[in-house]
Amino acid sequence: MPRTNDSVVTEFILLGLTERPELQPLLFVLFLVVYLVTLLGNLGMIVLIRLDCRLHKPMYFFLTNLAFVDLCYTSNATPQMLNNFLSEKKTITFAGCFTQCYIFIALLLTEFYMLAAMAYDRYVAICNPLRYSVKMSRRVCICLATFPYVYGFSDGLFQAILTFRLTFCRSNVINHFYCADPPLIRLSCSDTYVKEHAMLLSASFNLSSSLTIILVSYAFIIAAVLQIKSAEGRHKAFSTCGSHMLAVTLFYGTLFCMYVRPPTDKTVEESKMIAIFYTFANPVLNPLIYSLRNKDVKRALNTVLRRNVVTKMAVTPLANKP
């Protein structure tokens, strides 16, 4: 919908993944199932860690925060997306678009540094095990977990303000399934130089700095593990990092080409495909990665399930008594 220079944008139209009406119900069911599995997996992980005292360790404290971030991340875009699949009016208010864009950027940055904090935790556990309880004290863990939120929501607010200070007069149609920076920049008829370079600088800095922390941590971990003489000891050390390494690979592998490029028609279309992966696939896969590859989590899950079965068996005879 073209607009005049003096018209003020009060709402945006989200084109979504496809404009083909026959695919909308199918996509609604597909993404609803993925969303419910994501909620179940991440909430289940948080509750399981809270219930089992054997999981009250720094590694699982950070895992709880990662599950919470993933939960919020996917919940930021999915309800609006599901609503648009079944609605003819695929609009979002200006304030709603600002909020969605802000939370998206903030949680993305938070996850960068939460994964970096988890890598540092593994580094201390493997390279300095005797001082692990001192170096990863409760106070240190809280600080390491708080920083990603504070930094992420601060830089996210700055980036969102830069985006929504632009003048939108070309159109109010966003070629995406949520309010993302690249398609919003393309709608602007004002100078986007500052915003584009601030986005490029933020993306480059945060990707490289968080990944550097992770890579340096794993460089020390690998060096320490290679000094272990027994194959069993090396395998045990690497197994504690396997889940995190896989999660990092999935997360960063889909992000390197996301913002570190100018927003063109081609890259906006590509970014929608990439966004589907890290908005839906990463949050739904992370609980599976950390549960299926982690003996402590599997043991805790078996304990909780066994406890529930025993409780039900004990309650049933009492309920049948006259």
Side-chain angles (χ1 to χ4, degrees):
M1 184 187 300
R3 308 183 69 86
T4 61
N5 284 346
D6 1 349
S7 61
V8 178
V9 173
T10 57
E11 63 180 21
F12 293 96
I13 298 171
L14 295 166
L15 288 184
L17 295 176
T18 178
E19 295 184 69
R20 294 172 61 183
E22 67 274 14
L23 293 178
Q24 305 288 340
L26 178 63
L27 289 173
F28 172 82
V29 173
L30 174 63
F31 284 100
L32 177 62
V33 170
V34 171
Y35 182 51
L36 292 176
V37 172
T38 303
L39 289 179
L40 182 64
N42 286 284
L43 278 174
M45 182 67 73
I46 293 170
V47 172
L48 182 64
I49 292 171
R50 294 285 296 174
L51 287 177
D52 197 306
C53 60
R54 290 172 298 182
L55 299 181
H56 294 176
K57 301 174 184 177
M59 182 172 78
Y60 300 107
F61 171 72
F62 292 119
L63 183 53
T64 299
N65 281 276
L66 182 66
F68 175 73
V69 171
D70 281 343
L71 195 61
C72 296
Y73 192 75
T74 192
S75 296
N76 181 44
T78 308
Q80 178 76 41
M81 183 184 182
L82 291 174
N83 179 65
N84 288 347
F85 280 138
L86 302 181
S87 174
E88 291 185 10
K89 189 181 179 184
K90 306 177 188 298
T91 58
I92 184 171
T93 64
F94 188 90
C97 193
F98 173 86
T99 303
Q100 194 177 69
C101 181
Y102 167 44
I103 292 175
F104 167 76
I105 299 171
L107 291 173
L108 189 66
L109 295 175
T110 301
E111 186 145 354
F112 281 162
Y113 293 101
M114 198 63 71
L115 288 169
M118 294 173 76
Y120 175 74
D121 169 70
R122 292 298 82 208
Y123 155 72
V124 177
I126 292 172
C127 298
N128 206 341
L130 297 179
R131 301 205 60 196
Y132 180 69
S133 58
V134 176
K135 287 197 169 187
M136 296 302 294
S137 64
R138 179 180 175 82
R139 182 180 176 183
V140 171
C141 289
I142 291 173
C143 290
L144 286 174
T146 302
F147 170 77
Y149 291 106
V150 174
Y151 176 79
F153 278 84
S154 300
D155 192 21
L157 181 60
F158 175 69
Q159 293 297 326
I161 288 173
L162 285 180
T163 300
F164 285 85
R165 284 182 73 250
L166 299 173
T167 304
F168 302 103
C169 54
R170 289 177 182 164
S171 172
N172 68 336
V173 179
I174 300 174
N175 186 14
H176 218 294
F177 60 87
Y178 69 90
C179 292
D181 265 349
L184 279 167
I185 291 172
R186 289 192 56 76
L187 300 183
S188 175
C189 54
S190 54
D191 186 9
T192 61
Y193 178 87
V194 173
K195 169 57 191 175
E196 285 187 42
H197 284 77
M199 183 176 71
L200 180 64
L201 181 63
S202 176
S204 303
F205 171 76
N206 290 302
L207 273 169
S208 58
S209 60
S210 59
L211 192 57
T212 298
I213 295 170
I214 293 170
L215 292 177
V216 170
S217 297
Y218 275 106
F220 282 108
I221 288 171
I222 291 169
V225 170
L226 291 178
Q227 292 178 4
I228 300 174
K229 294 181 179 179
S230 69
E232 185 182 349
R234 287 195 297 270
H235 179 267
K236 185 178 179 182
F238 273 129
S239 67
T240 64
C241 306
S243 299
H244 181 258
M245 290 172 70
L246 183 55
V248 166
T249 303
L250 286 172
F251 185 70
Y252 283 89
T254 56
L255 286 175
F256 270 112
C257 57
M258 182 60 186
Y259 284 117
V260 189
R261 55 189 177 176
T264 63
D265 287 330
K266 185 179 178 182
T267 56
V268 168
E269 289 301 320
E270 289 173 355
S271 73
K272 282 203 285 187
M273 297 302 105
I274 297 169
I276 289 172
F277 192 86
Y278 65 71
T279 305
F280 297 100
N282 278 343
V284 79
L285 288 175
N286 277 345
L288 295 174
I289 291 170
Y290 282 101
S291 59
L292 296 178
R293 295 181 57 89
N294 190 298
K295 291 181 181 178
D296 291 338
V297 173
K298 287 193 285 188
R299 193 182 301 119
L301 183 59
N302 287 333
T303 302
V304 170
L305 293 175
R306 201 181 306 117
R307 190 186 304 158
N308 287 339
V309 169
V310 171
T311 303
K312 285 180 181 178
M313 290 176 66
V315 168
T316 304
L318 292 175
N320 293 334
K321 284 185 179 181

